[in-house]
Amino acid sequence: MGCLILAQAPARADPRVELLEAARLGKVDNAKLLLLRGVDPNIREKTHGPVIVYAAREKSFAVVRALASDPRCEINEVNAQGEDALMFASLHGDLETVKLLLGRGAIVNRPGWTALHYAASGGHVAVARLLLEQHAYIDAASPGNVTPLIMAARHSQISMARMLVEEGADPTLKNDQGYTAADYWKRLKETAEETWMRQKAADFARRYGSSEASGGNGSSGSSASPVPGAAGGGTPSSGSPQAPARP
């Protein structure tokens, strides 16, 4: 007599892994379905941290919004480098996502690197204005005393740098390498911007005094993670080619 051979049923995929894949690939419908089925929106990818940060890093902003809309989601969780979803949304200029995260209570002013630094490096003026409306500190200083204005100049973001100065950023501030925003324009051979920035710095110093007289930058970035290679001018955060160079 013959016998039946039962085919082994395929192993069921781990829904947590499926959510991470949805975050990586931008599959928002999959992500929404998994969340409806009760998958935890706060799971972590072993290298890149919370799934919402992972999705933002991968520019899967529809997935970020789906996660942020889940009341269980801890939107202010950070990866090993201290980066949150708001920072990556600001870096890439996704205004819709930035608005949603702010509406959910995203932290605007963190010690060290902030979302405004990231918006400045990406040149996203509308995002930066929104962050300033939410009381972002305009002269926030990273662990290397890099301000958003210095980030804008380093990344040759002319419109951003001018907007920040017009909104009150201090153009006399120097980073730990001794560079002001004007010095970066000089290195970039942006003569017109260097001249404009030095004039604004002179005006600022006459009106308010220089940063050297007041003892340097106005805020400390002591709690952000140190970044290897700081002396060499910066390495991309998180190993990500999209993240701003951190001095």
Side-chain angles (χ1 to χ4, degrees):
M1 177 184 290
C3 60
L4 296 174
I5 301 175
L6 299 176
Q8 185 175 1
R12 190 179 180 88
D14 186 331
R16 296 170 300 177
V17 174
E18 290 184 325
L19 183 57
L20 290 170
E21 276 297 285
R24 183 175 70 86
L25 299 173
K27 294 184 175 180
V28 64
D29 290 338
N30 289 13
K32 288 179 177 178
L33 181 59
L34 290 162
L35 292 171
L36 284 172
R37 290 176 175 172
V39 178
D40 184 359
N42 301 304
I43 60 172
R44 300 179 72 90
E45 201 275 336
K46 64 180 180 180
T47 302
H48 302 299
V51 63
I52 192 170
V53 179
Y54 183 39
R57 180 184 181 276
E58 297 299 316
K59 296 186 280 188
S60 298
F61 290 113
V63 176
V64 174
R65 293 191 294 272
L67 291 163
S69 298
D70 189 311
R72 300 171 297 162
C73 185
E74 300 290 341
I75 63 165
N76 288 312
E77 290 296 299
V78 298
N79 63 16
Q81 288 72 37
E83 297 162 316
D84 60 20
L86 180 63
M87 290 178 178
F88 282 110
S90 299
L91 172 65
H92 296 298
D94 196 293
L95 189 59
E96 181 182 357
T97 301
V98 170
K99 287 179 178 179
L100 176 60
L101 292 168
L102 291 172
R104 284 283 330 273
I107 295 173
V108 174
N109 293 309
R110 290 185 180 274
W113 297 101
T114 68
L116 187 58
H117 285 96
Y118 281 54
S121 70
H124 301 296
V125 173
V127 170
R129 287 191 184 280
L130 179 58
L131 293 170
L132 291 171
E133 289 172 7
Q134 297 296 314
H135 311 294
Y137 179 41
I138 202 166
D139 288 325
S142 78
N145 276 321
V146 177
T147 65
L149 176 58
I150 290 174
M151 286 296 285
R154 280 186 58 165
H155 290 267
S156 196
Q157 302 292 356
I158 292 173
S159 296
M160 175 65 73
R162 286 185 171 235
M163 183 277 287
L164 289 170
V165 171
E166 289 162 0
E167 291 296 324
D170 183 351
T172 73
L173 293 174
K174 297 180 180 180
N175 64 14
D176 283 356
Q177 294 173 300
Y179 291 111
T180 64
D183 294 329
Y184 280 104
W185 289 131
K186 182 178 181 179
R187 291 180 68 182
L188 293 166
K189 296 182 171 53
E190 292 280 2
T191 304
E193 294 310 309
E194 179 195 355
T195 300
W196 185 86
M197 192 66 70
R198 292 200 190 282
Q199 182 60 56
K200 292 296 183 180
D203 293 344
F204 192 97
R206 280 194 296 271
R207 183 173 299 179
Y208 304 111
S210 70
S211 60
E212 291 181 354
S214 61
N217 287 7
S219 70
S220 169
S222 59
S223 72
S225 303
V227 179
T235 56
S237 158
S238 310
S240 166
Q242 299 92 8
R246 290 182 165 190

